[in-house]
Amino acid sequence: MGFSIHWSWLAALLCAFWMGAGVRCACPESNLQMQGGNYTLSNNLERGSMLVYHCPEGYYPYPAITRLCQANNSWRPRPKRFPAQRCRLIECPDPNVLEYGNVSPPQEKYYVDNETTYECYSGYTMRGSATRVCLKNGKWSGSTPICSRDSGDHCANPGIPPGASRVGNMFGIDDTVRYTCNGNLFLVGSSERVCQENSQWSGNEPACYYKHTFDTPLEVSKAFGNSIKESLTTLESTDDIQGERKIRISKNGTLNIYIGVDISDSISEDYVNKSRDAVVKLITTISSFTVTPNYEITFFSSELYEIVNIIDFMDGTAKLSDVKTKLEEFAVGDRNTGTNLNLVFEQFLEKMALIKIRAGEENFKEHRHVIIVFTDGAYNMGGSPAPTVAKIKNSAYLNLADGSRDDYLDIYIFAIGDDIFDDDLMPLTAGTGGNHYFRVKDLEKLQETFDEMIDEDEVKGLCGLHKEYEDHRNELKRKMYPWMAFISTQADGHSKKCMGSLVTPEFVLTAAHCVYGFLPEKVTVEIDDGQHKIKKAKTLFYHPKYNVTAKKDKGINEFYDYDVALIQLEKYVDISTKVRPICIPCTLETNAALHLVDQSCQSQERLLLKNHLERLNFLTRTSNVVDLKDVHAKLGDNRYECIKHAVGVEGITADTLRDAVTDNFICTGGLQPFRDHIACTGDSGGAVYKNFEHRTIQVALVSWGSQQVCRDGGVKESKSNSRDFHINLFKVVDFLKAVLGKQDMDYAPLEFLEN
Ligand SMILES: *[C@@H]1O[C@H](CO)[C@@H](O)[C@H](O)[C@H]1NC(C)=O
Ligand SMILES: *[C@@H]1O[C@H](CO)[C@@H](O)[C@H](O)[C@H]1NC(C)=O
Ligand SMILES: *[C@@H]1O[C@H](CO)[C@@H](O)[C@H](O)[C@H]1NC(C)=O
Ligand SMILES: *[C@@H]1O[C@H](CO)[C@@H](O)[C@H](O)[C@H]1NC(C)=O
Ligand SMILES: *[C@@H]1O[C@H](CO)[C@@H](O)[C@H](O)[C@H]1NC(C)=O
Ligand SMILES: *[C@@H]1O[C@H](CO)[C@@H](O)[C@H](O)[C@H]1NC(C)=O
């Protein structure tokens, strides 16, 4: 009770403070308290203020989740004495709906952590989970258990999800089953499913949700990811093997993505910020596919706040990086109270009509549309969006209602906020292939799991694709740097260690000085692809101009120009999230990764090494497997100041400096303008790279340094006069192309650009 008195006093004080004189509040504060929990107010007890109840984990607020202070100074819903506002235990829907089997223990209600087991009657076999646990999000773990007998039906028994009832017990072609949810549960998914010719049920499995049921971030991004990937990969260029040759098939369609984010005051600022961040993450994730969609992105309340116009994308005047900046800078200002959900759909409909005019009727047929709306559905003006959504469907389906164009439109609703209007929102979804309605609570986690979307077979071939984690645990290192390779050579009983990078499933790029003079049998490459950690080398290729003694006559004792080598492995590595090639300059794939329209090598170099100071990275071995070194390439006017520190090394003089440090080297290190890291012994041969969105592009490789600052790896800072010299891969493309791009070899060639 002490707390509630304190709270009253605090609220009263805030009212007085805000209203200037006297203790006058718009809405009364009596009977607002909740047993077992507390509440927050978005604007004290003022009109328009939103009250949100909070309960400890495993509980939910009952009967009200939120209250709104209305214009006539009363709460909606009005606080009542009975039933008293309190925190209730989260429950899971009733699993005792299993046919032809037993559920134990039988209970009236099932709460978080309660476990159930399922057994089929004799003669019946089980599909699904035999044991399920009630989870904190109000769902059962695992999948629906189904007991069935082989009856020769065309479709398998679709079962009954917990909390549901099914009408329809015939599973032949065209037979229909219908689901409803019992009690105060509501249905998410397909309420009606038809047994199709291919023996599959149409739609997706329904589930019964309470108001307190949520989808976990992983569930959302898996389901959403699988579905949106359909749209992306149907448009993504693919490789086709015809005879011996690999043919690249590019698809002609266009993908238009429309995103709306609700910022009305029923959604807390925190939710708005997180939805905004989720949108940034989402478009970044999508950009790692080779498809380049057009975006319309808008925030909305009673009016629209457009971030990017899709027409600008079509015209090529909008850039994805600018969109991200604009999104990141978007802050919720003074919000007006209305929510017009219809307005955002009207905007999307209008944009579709404009696209149709621009593209022409014929081309418009090849346009696919994906609409994603983050909202709680609490609209109070503009009316229901349902009629507008019907028009959007007609437009995308070209007025064909036969389902033949269902693939051309997906509408996803990410239901957010504290109090969601499911009944209004669920009918707005559209599209095939899995759930399109998600109840999201943890938006922050959701962003992280968007990464999981790009984890599938169809993106296997994409160079440089990797995961970015905030937390750098050792077991995640291979996923962060899937191209990394460790190289060792054996001679006279001692071994030498270097780094390398996987550039195709069969080739590892490293420094020539790491392997020069060794027989392939003495060279091993460590890449843990889950099969064999150690790979044997089959053939070694060196740059034909590599010759350490070439400039001895000029007094340069060791000359490292063209310090590149390729190691052909005996066996292909298995490509996965943990093992994947890095992108290298001047290939077609790198062009796609950089989203360059212009197919030229120079454009890649201009984009990657454009500034006089370019931030680059390379890896070093440490007890954490590897760690990252940050360096800045000194280019243009900065270059001389950097390379001059090579004077004095191995007979290099001011006169022979340009002979020793040719234009093929990129110089890093020193303290100005940033304190760089410095290479250690053992870092040689490693990729010096740059990340672009989700892709990694190698621009150079570690060759030599002006000083030996450290031995055996480790993250070390540069001294004022220590410098590193890396072979610029743009200068050795001929060599890379001669080996990796060679046609009619026993390995699949990389496609290099003409110029
Ligand atoms: C309100 O309840 C939440 C959830 O139970 C708890 O984390 C928080 O500390 C509480 N706040 C106050 C002021 O008691
Ligand atoms: C306040 O207005 C709402 C509708 O806006 C109405 O339902 C409610 O009865 C009114 N309450 C009072 C106390 O007048
Ligand atoms: C189910 O959960 C409730 C609440 O945590 C607990 O009181 C009860 O003992 C559990 N029942 C079983 C069978 O574990
Ligand atoms: C793509 O368009 C070109 C010409 O515009 C056409 O020749 C080709 O058949 C189209 N490809 C597909 C897959 O539609
Ligand atoms: C939301 O983001 C804006 C701008 O980035 C920031 O100023 C504000 O403090 C954030 N609000 C919350 C609740 O995190
Ligand atoms: C390296 O260069 C030196 C000096 O020009 C030359 O004598 C030697 O033959 C070269 N070595 C190779 C392997 O080409």
Side-chain angles (χ1 to χ4, degrees):
M1 274 326 268
F3 173 69
S4 77
I5 288 162
H6 174 75
W7 181 265
S8 309
W9 171 79
L10 187 70
L13 186 74
L14 286 170
C15 274
F17 180 76
W18 284 102
M19 301 199 46
V23 181
R24 265 188 311 121
C25 292
C27 279
E29 52 174 335
S30 48
N31 298 324
L32 289 182
Q33 296 85 351
M34 176 171 63
Q35 286 168 27
N38 55 35
Y39 61 84
T40 50
L41 293 161
S42 68
N43 189 17
N44 308 309
L45 298 169
E46 305 287 332
R47 283 177 196 151
S49 179
M50 179 97 162
L51 178 150
V52 179
Y53 285 112
H54 306 280
C55 287
E57 199 171 60
Y59 292 83
Y60 69 98
Y62 176 87
I65 303 170
T66 60
R67 296 188 200 282
L68 184 71
C69 181
Q70 300 178 101
N72 59 6
N73 301 347
S74 70
W75 290 106
R76 188 191 70 211
R78 210 156 53 83
K80 295 192 196 125
R81 265 174 212 282
F82 302 103
Q85 182 68 31
R86 62 184 190 277
C87 288
R88 270 188 163 185
L89 273 173
I90 286 178
E91 42 180 302
C92 282
D94 188 4
N96 294 288
V97 292
L98 180 71
E99 293 177 300
Y100 317 118
N102 288 321
V103 182
S104 61
Q107 278 169 223
E108 199 163 316
K109 299 207 164 190
Y110 295 85
Y111 300 105
V112 176
D113 290 339
N114 283 177
E115 190 176 297
T116 45
T117 53
Y118 304 83
E119 234 173 33
C120 293
Y121 300 153
S122 72
Y124 289 82
T125 52
M126 185 184 295
R127 281 178 292 132
S129 307
T131 308
R132 305 184 86 179
V133 179
C134 175
L135 304 176
K136 288 194 188 80
N137 62 346
K139 290 185 178 187
W140 290 100
S141 65
S143 58
T144 307
I146 301 168
C147 297
S148 60
R149 224 177 359 199
D150 185 14
S151 51
D153 284 325
H154 191 72
C155 285
N157 184 336
I160 305 174
S165 311
R166 190 187 70 212
V167 176
N169 285 309
M170 310 276 279
F171 310 142
I173 291 188
D174 290 340
D175 282 335
T176 303
V177 291
R178 290 188 182 81
Y179 293 91
T180 49
C181 288
N182 307 328
N184 53 351
L185 290 155
F186 62 92
L187 186 139
V188 174
S190 308
S191 58
E192 197 175 294
R193 305 184 80 182
V194 180
C195 173
Q196 305 175 119
E197 239 169 282
N198 64 2
S199 302
Q200 300 294 313
W201 290 97
S202 65
N204 55 306
E205 194 188 2
C208 293
Y209 281 39
Y210 287 105
K211 272 284 177 194
H212 61 255
T213 309
F214 283 90
D215 300 311
T216 63
L218 200 62
E219 284 173 324
V220 177
S221 46
K222 278 235 170 87
F224 173 67
N226 278 335
S227 181
I228 197 164
K229 254 183 330 211
E230 287 275 320
S231 310
L232 291 166
T233 48
T234 40
L235 293 174
E236 190 156 42
S237 308
T238 49
D239 287 335
D240 190 23
I241 309 291
Q242 294 191 355
E244 296 288 289
R245 292 287 305 267
K246 217 162 63 170
I247 310 273
R248 181 148 280 240
I249 301 174
S250 36
K251 311 282 177 65
N252 288 347
T254 302
L255 182 64
N256 301 307
I257 300 183
Y258 312 74
I259 302 175
V261 181
D262 192 339
I263 55 164
S264 56
D265 57 1
S266 59
I267 308 225
S268 73
E269 188 178 333
D270 186 47
Y271 262 115
V272 173
N273 279 6
K274 285 176 180 158
S275 331
R276 175 197 66 194
D277 297 345
V279 171
V280 173
K281 188 67 193 262
L282 180 65
I283 63 178
T284 311
T285 306
I286 289 173
S287 68
S288 61
F289 288 80
T290 53
V291 177
T292 320
N294 301 315
Y295 287 100
E296 170 77 26
I297 302 176
T298 185
F299 291 88
F300 67 96
S301 54
S302 62
E303 44 191 294
L304 299 174
Y305 308 82
E306 192 178 62
I307 297 291
V308 62
N309 185 340
I310 199 160
I311 304 299
D312 293 341
F313 256 101
M314 294 191 75
D315 293 348
T317 53
K319 283 221 307 265
L320 199 62
S321 51
D322 298 342
V323 175
K324 287 205 291 195
T325 314
K326 264 175 127 175
L327 272 170
E328 273 153 6
E329 283 168 359
F330 183 86
V332 181
D334 283 338
R335 295 193 271 180
N336 30 25
T337 44
T339 310
N340 191 341
L341 184 56
N342 187 34
L343 189 62
V344 74
F345 284 101
E346 276 179 346
Q347 165 95 341
F348 295 162
L349 177 64
E350 194 177 303
K351 290 295 156 79
M352 280 173 79
L354 279 174
I355 290 170
K356 194 169 185 169
I357 294 167
R358 291 264 172 146
E361 297 259 339
E362 205 48 38
N363 283 332
F364 186 74
K365 286 184 185 163
E366 295 304 317
H367 280 243
R368 283 161 196 264
H369 309 271
V370 172
I371 295 176
I372 302 166
V373 179
F374 290 78
T375 182
D376 61 357
Y379 61 84
N380 53 14
M381 55 196 289
S384 164
T388 312
V389 168
K391 287 184 198 159
I392 288 176
K393 287 185 182 173
N394 275 338
S395 174
Y397 300 163
L398 309 172
N399 296 312
L400 298 171
D402 57 3
S404 61
R405 286 189 54 89
D406 284 3
D407 288 345
Y408 286 78
L409 175 69
D410 286 285
I411 304 179
Y412 300 95
I413 303 285
F414 284 77
I416 56 169
D418 295 295
D419 198 0
I420 297 167
F421 288 70
D422 301 278
D423 295 344
D424 292 326
L425 290 176
M426 283 194 295
L428 304 180
T429 60
T432 55
N435 203 359
H436 285 59
Y437 186 70
F438 307 109
R439 297 186 106 235
V440 191
K441 201 159 203 175
D442 193 345
L443 275 161
E444 206 162 335
K445 279 262 166 50
L446 179 67
Q447 293 184 47
E448 289 172 24
T449 55
F450 275 148
D451 259 357
E452 303 294 325
M453 278 173 45
I454 48 172
D455 199 351
E456 297 292 319
D457 288 354
E458 59 264 36
V459 295
K460 256 187 179 170
L462 298 185
C463 66
L465 192 59
H466 63 278
K467 305 241 170 179
E468 283 155 26
Y469 294 100
E470 288 301 317
D471 104 65
H472 286 196
R473 270 173 295 162
N474 285 0
E475 75 265 25
L476 302 177
K477 287 287 165 70
R478 277 232 67 97
K479 290 189 178 180
M480 294 170 70
Y481 315 112
W483 36 265
M484 69 179 173
F486 303 112
I487 293 160
S488 34
T489 46
Q490 301 292 332
D492 310 330
H494 60 259
S495 71
K496 201 165 88 174
K497 287 189 163 71
C498 272
M499 304 282 279
S501 54
L502 192 70
V503 291
T504 78
E506 216 180 342
F507 278 93
V508 172
L509 180 63
T510 188
H513 80 259
C514 289
V515 289
Y516 193 80
F518 287 92
L519 291 170
E521 331 42 305
K522 299 288 182 190
V523 177
T524 53
V525 177
E526 184 188 324
I527 298 174
D528 195 354
D529 67 351
Q531 302 285 327
H532 307 278
K533 204 169 166 182
I534 303 295
K535 314 287 169 198
K536 287 187 180 148
K538 181 173 160 189
T539 319
L540 304 175
F541 297 88
Y542 308 102
H543 196 291
K545 291 188 187 156
Y546 174 69
N547 182 350
V548 178
T549 57
K551 293 194 175 169
K552 257 211 152 88
D553 54 342
K554 291 196 171 172
I556 300 164
N557 296 332
E558 292 178 19
F559 177 56
Y560 285 106
D561 208 356
Y562 305 109
D563 188 12
V564 280
L566 283 161
I567 304 171
Q568 184 181 17
L569 304 175
E570 265 194 353
K571 291 209 183 82
Y572 277 62
V573 293
D574 286 340
I575 302 302
S576 67
T577 40
K578 291 163 106 180
V579 179
R580 193 191 295 278
I582 198 168
C583 301
I584 55 170
C586 304
T587 64
L588 208 56
E589 270 201 299
T590 302
N591 233 55
L594 295 172
H595 301 302
L596 282 171
V597 185
D598 180 18
Q599 305 240 330
S600 85
C601 201
Q602 286 99 348
S603 326
Q604 293 187 8
E605 191 170 3
R606 268 200 301 273
L607 182 65
L608 293 164
L609 299 173
K610 60 171 179 281
N611 298 313
H612 286 190
L613 209 61
E614 282 289 347
R615 189 177 152 172
L616 303 173
N617 291 106
F618 58 91
L619 300 180
T620 186
R621 274 197 248 210
T622 62
S623 55
N624 307 322
V625 187
V626 286
D627 276 306
L628 197 61
K629 286 184 178 174
D630 267 326
V631 293
H632 294 82
K634 280 80 178 172
L635 306 169
D637 298 343
N638 294 329
R639 189 166 189 269
Y640 178 73
E641 167 57 32
C642 188
I643 64 169
K644 74 175 192 202
H645 293 279
V647 170
V649 181
E650 293 296 339
I652 300 173
T653 63
D655 285 343
T656 58
L657 178 62
R658 303 266 184 193
D659 287 308
V661 187
T662 65
D663 285 347
N664 297 341
F665 289 102
I666 288 177
C667 183
T668 69
L671 311 180
Q672 295 300 332
F674 303 103
R675 184 182 283 266
D676 275 0
H677 288 129
I678 199 79
C680 301
T681 319
D683 294 351
S684 281
V688 180
Y689 65 87
K690 202 163 153 167
N691 280 337
F692 191 90
E693 316 275 340
H694 272 265
R695 312 284 288 268
T696 306
I697 294 111
Q698 178 170 3
V699 294
L701 65 77
V702 180
S703 179
W704 60 289
S706 65
Q707 291 186 18
Q708 190 177 53
V709 178
C710 43
R711 291 173 178 276
D712 297 329
V715 179
K716 294 277 157 39
E717 284 184 348
S718 179
K719 297 181 186 173
S720 64
N721 59 350
S722 58
R723 294 294 184 275
D724 290 324
F725 304 98
H726 316 285
I727 295 286
N728 181 345
L729 293 190
F730 283 97
K731 308 286 188 183
V732 293
V733 171
D734 284 350
F735 164 69
L736 299 173
K737 191 172 174 177
V739 180
L740 303 171
K742 202 163 178 345
Q743 303 288 329
D744 52 82
M745 293 296 287
D746 57 348
Y747 51 84
L750 272 182
E751 273 189 77
F752 282 81
L753 299 173
E754 287 306 320
N755 47 45

